[in-house]
């Protein structure tokens, strides 16, 4: 083994150790685990207590006793799923038992909540006897609207799901089987469309005969593949009619053949489906497959054949894997949150074949629509579209819920298993849309864009511990290429004390003016830019040596960085001065403005004018509103703007009310392409019912997501109060009007907010580079 091989092996080992430590830290802090139970009703006084518990709770109890369907109205049951396991087949870890499986089940709960707004109780059952396991789960029916079976080994999982479906009057869904099979089937349909192959003529070899593999075969045969054209291999080789002691699921795919290996059957095979282990498909086998071979190599983390190898011998191959670093990732997150969303919303008594097929066709259809932009419209050329590398949408595609859940709900209604049918599907889709775009999920598209092409982001307060904690996340998530301004000895000391894995020259770059050869060029540039603004040669030398926000601004202006984050100490205007004097305003902007956002579970609210202008003019507020609305679109949010005031549609003629009234006039004259109205009270802005009582003809529909306020005090106080009262994540301040991606934060900025702003700066830098 040569030195290069040793170095590569050491790096892989070090990366693995770093990732493992990051995973343990993620699960342990700030609170152990990944989920919690949060009340949805107030409990602020004695009356609330009486309504929530005794004696008020007796009223809905008696109503439900008379009519069990009312549980959907008076309890959380119809939005509650039990994720249930015995830990006998966890991830790829095997039979690690129910307790060790709990982090996986909590993770499943997080995905349900984040992607589809579904609450979860994870239930780990210490029972390997399938009959006793069935009894335990069946007895839980009054608690849940649905059961998601997880990580239960085959063949017991087939019996468990079958008998629970027969016994329970709620959806029971074994995701390891059906989640994978639904995604595979969708990808297969689109691969057939690309190749022109007929499904009834397709010859298929499957490597693997576990729960996921058998379910995949069942669903693709249900779609039209001739079962006689399917050959299956397990750990003992090809499943044939000569084999003894086959369970019922394998017997269905036993073939009358003398072949015992995949290699013997691979000639002219159209599709290879792998749910087994690495190396099961060789380059020679791929070479012998039919024209336009379809290979779904889904073993994780290492597939049955690596895509590079398959493409090297067959350029016409269509590949899918289970990995996120290759095109066409078969990821169960594409399916299970949304199939449950649709099932729960119509009170389905089961997840039947019709609902699964509807899910397959909805996912397949979504690939024919261009992916939802993860940034503004200038990035149209880089948007993914249907083709060999885009058979299925990505798991972060925000419109998944909008297409899959209604398709599943309709299939449940058409097949007769819906107890709460939807009457207005347009209204239903609108409600789903509000969930997608009014939640903390708002940062997902920005993160996805940032990861696609990380940019150089300079952190002006490189010695700040919160900045360093954030930079570690940025490095781990590959969001950006961090540049830290500061003294190397101090930065490295903090890194050591915090137990971080940051190293200058490897995953970060430290800029220190003590020995930076660019120092003279930088101070001369700054002097030339500002010599008529009171900046002397000596002051330029001193400031460029000691003022970190100035250093960062010059790095960006000179092209040595693509974006900048600063402001974690000192006053906002102190940093803005250097941004203004070095980087300047974007073309067409007359001033700088600031916007901040509170990212809550049920909605996102952005506040314009949180910094910079104490009492902006109507003209400044108008420009600010236009810039802020443009920024919201970067998050995939359709701007809905409320011009807020102490006046509600003319109830006062105070100076601020008159000013906001003029903003409405100026926006109207501009003919802006977003909804807005005002002046109005804050409750009218956030509650459409309140607004419509006062102004039924209001042009603003739904809850506003951008509140434009008359003064800095109003915006800043409102933002901080809402953030603290809801204990929500926040983003910002977002600097509007700068010519380069620059954001000035505040000393209260948490590591998470710094990470969010980093992703935003990277996305802006990508757009600017186009």
């Amino acid at each position: 083994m040569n030195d290069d091989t040793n170095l590569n092996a050491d790096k892989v080992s070090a990366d693995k150790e770093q990732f493992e430590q990051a995973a343990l830290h993620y699960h342990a802090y700030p609170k152990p685990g990944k989920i919690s139970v949060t009340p949805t009703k107030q409990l602020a006084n004695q009356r609330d207590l009486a309504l929530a518990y005794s004696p008020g709770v007796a009223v809905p109890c008696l109503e439900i006793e008379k009519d069990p369907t009312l549980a959907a109205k008076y309890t959380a049951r119809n939005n509650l799923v039990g994720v249930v396991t015995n830990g006998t087949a966890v991830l790829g870890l095997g039979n690690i038992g129910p307790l060790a499986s709990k982090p996986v089940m909590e993770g499943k709960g997080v995905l349900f909540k984040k992607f589809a707004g579904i609450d979860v109780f994870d239930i780990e059952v210490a029972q390997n006897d399938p009959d006793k396991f069935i009894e335990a789960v069946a007895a839980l029916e009054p608690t849940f609207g649905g059961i998601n079976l997880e990580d239960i080994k085959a063949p017991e999982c087939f019996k468990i799901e079958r008998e629970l479906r027969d016994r329970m009057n709620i959806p029971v869904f074994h995701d390891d089987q059906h989640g994978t099979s639904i995604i595979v089937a969708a990808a297969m349909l689109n691969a057939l469309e690309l190749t022109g192959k007929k499904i009834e003529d397709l010859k298929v070899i499957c490597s693997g005969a576990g729960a996921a593999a058998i379910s995949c075969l069942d669903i693709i045969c249900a779609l039209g593949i001739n079962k006689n054209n399917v050959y299956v291999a397990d750990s003992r080789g090809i499943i044939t009619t000569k084999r003894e002691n086959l369970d019922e699921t394998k017997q269905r795919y036993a073939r009358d053949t003398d072949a015992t290996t995949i290699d013997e059957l691979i000639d002219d095979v159209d599709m290879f489906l792998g749910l087994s282990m690495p190396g099961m498909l060789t380059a020679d086998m791929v070479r012998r497959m039919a024209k336009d071979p379809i290979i779904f190599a889904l073993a994780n983390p290492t597939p049955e054949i690596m895509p590079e190898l398959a493409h090297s011998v067959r350029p016409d191959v269509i590949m899918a894997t289970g990995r996120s670093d290759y095109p066409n990732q078969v990821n169960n997150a594409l399916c299970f949150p949304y199939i449950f969303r649709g099932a729960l919303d119509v009170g389905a008594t089961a997840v039947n074949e019709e609902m699964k097929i509807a899910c397959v066709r909805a996912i397949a259809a979504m690939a024919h629509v261009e992916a939802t932009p993860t940034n503004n419209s200038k990035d149209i050329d880089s948007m993914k579209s249907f083709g060999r590398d885009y058979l299925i949408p990505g798991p972060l595609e925000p419109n998944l819920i909008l297409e899959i859940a209604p398709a599943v709900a309709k299939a449940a209604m058409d097949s007769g298993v819906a107890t709460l049918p939807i009457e207005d599907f347009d209204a239903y889709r609108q409600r789903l849309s509000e969930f997608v775009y009014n939640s903390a999920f708002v940062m997902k598209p920005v993160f996805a864009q940032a990861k696609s092409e990380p940019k150089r982001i300079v952190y002006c307060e490189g010695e700040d511990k919160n900045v360093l904690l954030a930079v570690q996340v940025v490095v781990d998530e590959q969001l950006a290429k961090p540049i830290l301004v500061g003294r190397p000895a101090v930065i490295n000391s903090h890194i050591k004390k915090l137990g971080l894995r940051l190293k200058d020259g490897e995953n970060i770059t430290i800029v220190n003016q003590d020995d930076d050869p660019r120092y003279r060029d930088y101070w001369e540039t700054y002097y030339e830019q500002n010599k008529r603004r009171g900046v002397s040669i000596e002051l330029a030398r001193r400031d460029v040596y000691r003022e970190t926000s100035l250093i960062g601004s010059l790095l960006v202006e000179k092209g040595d960085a693509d974006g900048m984050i600063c402001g974690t100490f000192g006053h906002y205007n102190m940093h803005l001065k250097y941004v203004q004097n070095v980087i300047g305003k974007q073309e067409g902007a007359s001033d700088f403005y600031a916007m901040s956002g509170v990212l809550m579970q049920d909605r996102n609210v952005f506040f314009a004018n949180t910094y910079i202008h104490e009492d902006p003019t109507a003209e400044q507020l108008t420009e600010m509103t236009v810039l802020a609305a443009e920024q919201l679109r970067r998050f995939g949010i359709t701007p809905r703007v409320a011009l807020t005031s102490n006046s509600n549609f003319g109830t006062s003629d105070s100076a601020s009310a008159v000013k906001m009234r003029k903003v409405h006039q100026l926006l109207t004259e501009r003919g802006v392409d977003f909804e807005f109205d005002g002046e109005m009270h804050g409750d009218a802005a956030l509650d459409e019912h309140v607004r419509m009582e006062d102004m039924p003809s209001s042009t603003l529909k739904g809850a506003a997501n951008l509140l434009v306020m008359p003064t800095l005090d109003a915006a800043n106080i409102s933002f901080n109060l809402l953030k603290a009262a809801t204990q929500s994540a926040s983003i910002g301040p977002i600097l509007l009007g700068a010519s380069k991606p620059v954001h000035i934060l505040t000393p209260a900025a948490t590591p998470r907010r710094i990470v969010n702003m980093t992703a935003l700066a990277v996305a802006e830098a990508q757009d600017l580079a186009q």
Side-chain angles (χ1 to χ4, degrees):
M1 185 178 288
N2 60 36
D3 290 342
D4 287 343
T5 304
N6 281 325
L7 286 172
N8 287 335
D10 289 344
K11 185 178 186 306
V12 169
S13 177
D15 288 346
K16 182 174 183 290
E17 182 179 353
Q18 289 173 3
F19 182 79
E20 289 172 350
Q21 290 300 313
L24 290 175
H25 189 275
Y26 175 86
H27 282 79
Y29 300 99
K31 293 169 63 176
K34 298 191 285 284
I35 59 176
S36 66
V37 178
T38 304
T40 60
K41 300 294 194 298
Q42 286 192 94
L43 201 63
N45 52 48
Q46 186 63 40
R47 178 171 173 77
D48 289 345
L49 181 60
L51 291 171
Y53 200 53
S54 181
V57 74
V59 180
C61 288
L62 294 173
E63 292 298 309
I64 293 168
E65 183 187 27
K66 288 186 288 186
D67 181 0
T69 65
L70 291 177
K73 181 176 182 179
Y74 296 124
T75 76
R77 180 176 185 260
N78 265 39
N79 196 53
L80 183 62
V81 166
V83 174
V84 188
T85 189
N86 60 7
T88 52
V90 179
L91 284 176
L93 303 176
N95 187 356
I96 61 174
L99 183 59
S101 76
K102 190 171 179 64
V104 181
M105 302 309 118
E106 287 189 356
K108 199 80 171 189
V110 170
L111 297 181
F112 267 112
K113 187 68 175 180
K114 290 295 184 184
F115 289 153
I118 295 171
D119 296 318
V120 162
F121 289 162
D122 63 293
I123 299 177
E124 295 75 31
V125 181
Q127 184 55 260
N128 289 355
D129 183 310
D131 292 321
K132 292 181 180 178
F133 184 90
I134 290 166
E135 290 298 327
V137 177
L140 297 172
E141 182 170 343
T143 302
F144 296 107
I147 296 291
N148 184 97
L149 297 172
E150 193 78 18
D151 292 350
I152 303 169
K153 71 182 181 72
E156 290 91 333
C157 62
F158 299 112
K159 171 187 170 83
I160 288 170
E161 187 194 41
R162 183 175 61 250
E163 294 197 15
L164 286 175
R165 288 181 64 179
D166 289 342
R167 290 181 57 173
M168 303 181 80
N169 205 36
I170 57 175
V172 177
F173 185 82
H174 184 205
D175 185 46
D176 299 319
Q177 294 181 57
H178 308 300
T180 300
S181 69
I182 286 168
I183 312 306
V184 163
M188 180 201 71
L189 290 179
N190 280 334
L192 294 180
E193 184 168 336
L194 286 167
T195 60
K197 297 185 179 186
K198 295 181 179 180
I199 192 168
E200 61 269 19
D201 298 332
L202 211 65
K203 184 178 179 181
V204 179
I205 284 184
C206 179
S207 176
I214 294 298
S215 184
C216 286
L217 295 173
D218 287 346
I219 200 166
I220 63 176
C221 287
L223 286 167
I225 287 180
N226 185 339
K227 192 178 291 187
N228 293 322
N229 290 340
V230 176
Y231 293 83
V232 183
D234 62 9
S235 59
R236 295 171 54 196
I238 299 296
I239 297 174
T240 72
T241 54
K242 301 179 180 66
R243 292 260 300 267
E244 298 180 352
N245 300 319
L246 292 174
D247 63 65
E248 184 273 332
T249 58
K250 291 186 180 181
Q251 286 176 5
R252 297 205 302 272
Y253 293 98
R255 295 290 165 262
D256 186 11
T257 177
D258 292 328
T260 59
T261 66
I262 293 173
D263 186 63
E264 295 174 72
L265 295 168
I266 199 70
D267 288 352
D268 295 321
V269 161
D270 296 291
M271 178 177 176
F272 173 87
L273 175 61
L275 293 116
S276 53
M277 58 188 294
M280 295 304 296
L281 188 66
T282 66
D284 179 63
M285 292 180 191
V286 174
R287 192 178 289 111
R288 290 154 49 200
M289 291 179 71
K291 182 178 181 295
D292 292 316
I294 301 166
I295 297 177
F296 293 173
L298 307 181
N300 256 331
T302 307
E304 285 78 3
I305 187 170
M306 294 301 292
E308 297 91 342
L309 181 56
H311 283 290
S312 71
V313 296
R314 291 297 296 271
D316 60 338
V317 70
I318 294 179
M319 284 277 318
T321 71
R323 292 172 52 143
S324 61
D325 52 346
Y326 290 100
N328 300 324
Q329 182 193 14
V330 174
N331 187 329
N332 286 13
L334 271 170
C335 164
F336 71 83
Y338 315 113
I339 201 166
F340 267 99
R341 182 72 277 160
L344 293 172
D345 289 341
V346 293
T349 57
V351 174
N352 57 25
E353 293 306 305
E354 292 89 344
M355 294 160 72
K356 286 185 279 186
I357 295 296
C359 188
V360 169
R361 298 197 184 281
I363 293 170
M366 282 197 66
H368 292 260
V369 180
E370 289 183 332
T372 301
T374 55
N375 54 1
N376 63 26
S377 59
K378 290 186 289 186
D379 196 35
I380 289 174
D381 291 341
S382 67
M383 287 167 55
K384 294 180 180 178
S385 58
F386 179 63
R388 289 172 177 255
D389 287 340
Y390 194 66
L391 295 176
I392 46 177
L396 293 180
E397 170 62 44
N399 287 335
L400 285 168
I401 193 172
L402 303 181
E403 302 301 326
I404 298 173
V408 170
K410 188 174 188 306
M413 291 164 57
D414 292 344
S415 60
V417 297
T419 62
L420 301 168
I422 293 169
E423 296 181 1
D424 185 343
F425 267 87
D426 288 338
Y428 178 55
R429 285 179 59 86
Q430 177 61 32
R431 181 158 61 86
L432 293 175
S433 175
E434 289 178 359
F435 164 75
V436 172
Y437 295 114
N438 290 322
S439 75
F441 194 72
V442 68
M443 286 305 300
K444 292 293 184 180
V446 180
F447 272 66
Q449 182 187 346
K451 289 182 179 184
S452 70
E453 189 185 356
K455 295 291 186 180
R456 301 165 300 170
I457 301 299
V458 57
Y459 299 83
C460 299
E461 293 85 41
E463 298 176 5
D464 186 286
K465 293 180 181 179
N466 278 336
V467 168
L468 292 171
L469 289 168
V471 167
Q472 184 67 70
V473 175
V474 168
V475 168
D476 290 342
E477 296 293 324
Q478 298 181 325
L479 291 171
K481 300 172 183 177
I483 301 170
L484 303 178
V485 178
R487 296 163 293 178
V490 176
I491 291 174
N492 288 325
S493 174
H494 289 336
I495 288 172
K496 184 176 181 181
K497 288 178 182 177
L498 294 169
L500 304 179
R501 292 159 278 114
L502 303 174
K503 291 185 179 180
D504 187 20
E506 291 187 15
N507 51 21
I508 61 171
T509 299
I510 297 177
V511 171
N512 175 28
Q513 291 300 79
D514 281 339
D515 55 8
D516 196 310
R518 297 169 294 188
Y519 170 64
R520 182 181 183 88
D521 178 39
Y522 277 21
W523 74 252
E524 287 180 345
T525 297
Y526 180 58
Y527 170 70
E528 288 297 325
Q529 286 180 325
N530 295 277
K531 60 187 179 184
R532 294 188 179 275
R533 297 176 182 163
V535 176
S536 65
I537 290 176
E538 185 57 28
L539 184 59
R541 286 174 175 162
R542 289 177 179 271
D543 281 357
V544 174
Y545 182 79
R546 65 191 179 188
E547 299 295 343
T548 59
S549 291
L550 174 55
I551 296 168
S553 297
L554 286 162
L555 282 163
V556 174
E557 180 64 16
K558 301 288 285 185
D560 295 323
D562 302 303
M564 170 177 137
I565 303 293
C566 66
T568 58
F569 84 95
H571 299 296
Y572 192 95
N573 287 335
M574 175 184 77
H575 303 281
L576 181 62
K577 175 182 69 173
Y578 294 120
V579 173
Q580 186 170 0
N581 290 346
V582 175
I583 293 174
K585 296 184 285 290
Q586 71 184 54
E587 186 177 353
S590 62
D591 215 329
F592 295 97
Y593 308 98
M595 173 176 74
S596 303
V598 180
L599 312 181
M600 297 175 283
Q601 287 294 328
D602 63 337
R603 70 176 75 195
N604 303 302
V605 181
F606 288 81
F607 297 83
N609 192 35
T610 46
Y611 292 88
I612 303 176
H613 299 284
E614 290 188 11
D615 189 10
T617 65
E619 289 74 17
Q620 288 174 319
L621 285 171
T622 300
E623 181 175 63
M624 183 193 311
T625 302
V626 172
L627 291 171
E630 182 181 316
Q631 186 66 268
L632 253 63
R633 290 195 171 100
R634 188 181 301 281
F635 300 106
I637 297 173
T638 300
R640 294 192 296 272
V641 180
L643 309 174
T644 60
S645 172
N646 69 325
S647 172
N648 201 42
F649 299 108
T651 59
S652 170
D653 286 327
S654 65
S656 66
V658 170
K659 178 168 64 174
M660 299 310 288
R661 218 168 289 156
K662 186 175 180 182
V663 175
H664 183 277
Q665 176 189 337
L666 292 172
L667 288 172
T668 302
E669 290 171 356
R670 279 197 180 204
V672 295
D673 60 347
F674 51 82
E675 291 182 16
F676 68 94
D677 207 349
E679 80 286 7
M680 68 178 74
H681 288 165
D683 57 349
L686 298 178
D687 189 331
E688 185 178 27
H689 298 294
V690 172
R691 186 186 325 126
M692 290 304 171
E693 284 184 7
D694 292 327
M695 185 60 63
S697 61
S698 174
T699 54
L700 177 61
K701 306 301 181 185
N705 50 33
L706 174 58
L707 306 185
V708 179
M709 298 193 165
T711 65
L712 185 152
D713 280 352
N716 192 284
I717 292 169
S718 299
F719 163 71
N720 283 298
L721 279 175
L722 184 62
K723 179 183 66 172
T726 60
Q727 297 185 335
S728 297
S730 63
I731 183 169
I734 299 170
L735 184 62
L736 307 171
S739 65
K740 302 284 178 66
V742 176
H743 295 293
I744 304 169
L745 308 187
T746 67
T750 62
R752 174 49 56 185
R753 203 195 308 180
I754 297 169
V755 172
N756 285 343
M757 295 306 297
T758 299
L760 182 60
V762 172
E764 291 172 334
Q766 291 172 351
D767 294 341
L768 198 62
Q770 293 178 18

